Amino acid sequence: MTGSKAWIAAPAGLTLSQDERRFFADERPWGFILFARNIQSGRQVADLVASLKEIGGRATTPIFIDQEGGRINRLRPPLAPAYPAPAAIGELFAADRRAGERAAWLQGRLLAADVMAYGINADCVPCLDVPVAGAHSVIGDRAYGLDADTVATLGRAVADGAMAGGVLPVMKHVPGHGRGNADSHHELPRVDAPRAELARTDFAPFRALHTLPAAMTAHILYTDIDPRHPATLSKIVIDSVIRTEIGFDGLLMSDDMSMKALSGDLYDLSAAALMAGCDVVLHCNGDMAEMRRVASAAQPLSGDARRRAEACEAVIARSHDTSTDGLRAEYDALMARVG
């Protein structure tokens, strides 16, 4: 990963244009992320992933995707099976803790097999947000439950399942999106709860899983912690909450810098996120002009950021079990218990 810069890029379409090839080769993003616009057929996805890894220059170049189950899936049938929403695993867990935890591990393991079939090696799961009554529905059934213990237990199982299948998990959205009063894709959510209350609930699953290798920030303004800057841009939130109180020392990647929760020039925003303590910034919409601004703000990975990125690639490089014999049938039987 020598020379890789502190950003993650997204191609615009099904194949790389010559402009994209040149740009990515010059600006050396640490990794790439795929969306529905990048997916048409199995062969096409595998070829695109191979092209991105070739540009990255190493087999462990991280290729991210959002494949959670429920409504958040970039790979859809027939390219990958559909799974119940994470909340359904929580229902099973409420009835039978052992069965629910096993189903969560199986879902993580099977999601890993689904994405690895195309060479994708990083999945933005688990979602560790804890929704509260009255919050925006953007999290909703993406959450494993409505209490921190359920979310932490099932999130850990999903992450362990993903890693058993050779895939890097990314917990999100640290330090907690469950109370958000808006969809950060469209506007900046604001959370006015006292920090002590957030620590008891929202932060708790991340604290329990603080040893995971990677996490994604929340574009949320926590007014009792930093009334001026959303978490992604807040040195206070990143230093005091994420690194110290939660104890997370893994790779911290921003949520998508092109989301409407953030306003301003992409160079300024990306530079601010990196200065605040994000290790890498994520840009998702594939717009070349925007990517140039993000890339110009990103510098080669160094120091702790490089150490954390190398640790993530070490997870990808681990030997892993490729067999899923019997696992799908076991998962389906467990989930059939919740309808």
Side-chain angles (χ1 to χ4, degrees):
M1 59 175 284
T2 302
S4 294
K5 294 177 67 175
W7 73 297
I8 297 167
L14 301 175
T15 60
L16 294 179
S17 68
Q18 288 303 312
D19 282 348
E20 284 177 319
R21 287 180 181 275
R22 286 191 293 267
F23 174 68
F24 293 148
D26 288 343
E27 294 294 348
R28 307 183 307 284
W30 174 63
F32 299 90
I33 189 166
L34 301 184
F35 290 88
R37 66 174 186 269
N38 305 121
I39 295 167
Q40 183 179 70
S41 70
R43 172 55 62 187
Q44 169 268 319
V45 175
D47 287 347
L48 176 58
V49 169
S51 295
L52 295 170
K53 289 182 179 177
E54 180 182 7
I55 290 171
R58 59 208 190 279
T60 55
T61 300
I63 311 295
F64 295 86
I65 198 165
D66 290 290
Q67 195 77 3
E68 297 179 4
R71 55 193 160 99
I72 307 298
N73 292 289
R74 312 308 183 196
L75 292 167
R76 296 182 177 273
L79 298 183
Y83 296 89
I89 302 176
E91 291 180 42
L92 178 60
F93 183 73
D96 183 333
R97 288 181 65 94
R98 184 175 179 181
E101 193 168 354
R102 177 62 177 170
W105 186 93
L106 287 167
Q107 184 156 316
R109 178 66 184 83
L110 293 171
L111 287 170
D114 295 342
V115 303
M116 284 286 282
Y118 306 102
I120 299 164
N121 53 24
D123 192 357
C124 298
V125 292
C127 180
L128 297 185
D129 303 312
V130 183
V132 299
H136 193 278
S137 62
V138 65
I139 299 301
D141 65 2
R142 297 170 64 189
Y144 297 102
L146 300 178
D147 65 274
D149 174 66
T150 295
V151 171
T153 301
L154 298 181
R156 166 64 73 181
V158 169
D160 286 347
M163 289 188 286
V167 164
L168 173 72
V170 181
M171 61 180 179
K172 59 189 183 187
H173 305 83
V174 65
H177 205 304
R179 294 176 188 269
N181 62 353
D183 181 346
S184 55
H185 292 87
H186 304 298
E187 58 183 300
L188 178 63
R190 175 187 176 105
V191 169
D192 296 325
R195 177 169 178 164
E197 183 178 350
L198 294 171
R200 285 193 302 273
T201 55
D202 302 54
F203 303 167
F206 297 99
R207 191 164 54 244
L209 274 66
H210 73 276
T211 58
L212 287 185
M216 178 186 291
T217 64
H219 291 335
I220 289 191
L221 186 72
Y222 302 92
T223 59
D224 194 42
I225 303 171
D226 184 343
R228 295 182 57 204
H229 304 103
T232 302
L233 308 180
S234 173
K235 186 171 180 61
I236 297 171
V237 172
I238 292 175
D239 282 352
S240 178
V241 176
I242 297 175
R243 296 301 189 192
T244 301
E245 184 170 350
I246 288 173
F248 177 66
D249 188 39
L251 182 100
L252 186 64
M253 58 189 277
S254 76
D255 204 344
D256 177 16
M257 299 302 294
S258 65
M259 289 163 63
K260 302 306 180 186
L262 306 181
S263 59
D265 177 78
L266 266 295
Y267 176 92
D268 296 336
L269 290 171
S270 299
L274 293 168
M275 285 292 293
C278 290
D279 295 308
V280 294
V281 289
L282 172 68
H283 185 267
C284 294
N285 69 19
D287 181 276
M288 180 62 77
E290 290 190 7
M291 284 196 290
R292 291 188 188 281
R293 301 297 289 162
V294 174
S296 63
Q299 300 300 311
L301 287 161
S302 63
D304 285 339
R306 177 167 177 157
R307 169 181 59 83
R308 293 163 181 150
E310 288 174 342
C312 287
E313 292 196 36
V315 172
I316 293 170
R318 288 177 192 164
S319 61
H320 59 277
D321 184 6
T322 59
S323 172
T324 58
D325 291 348
L327 297 185
R328 291 191 188 276
E330 182 186 358
Y331 174 81
D332 289 343
L334 288 170
M335 297 308 297
R337 293 168 56 178
V338 293

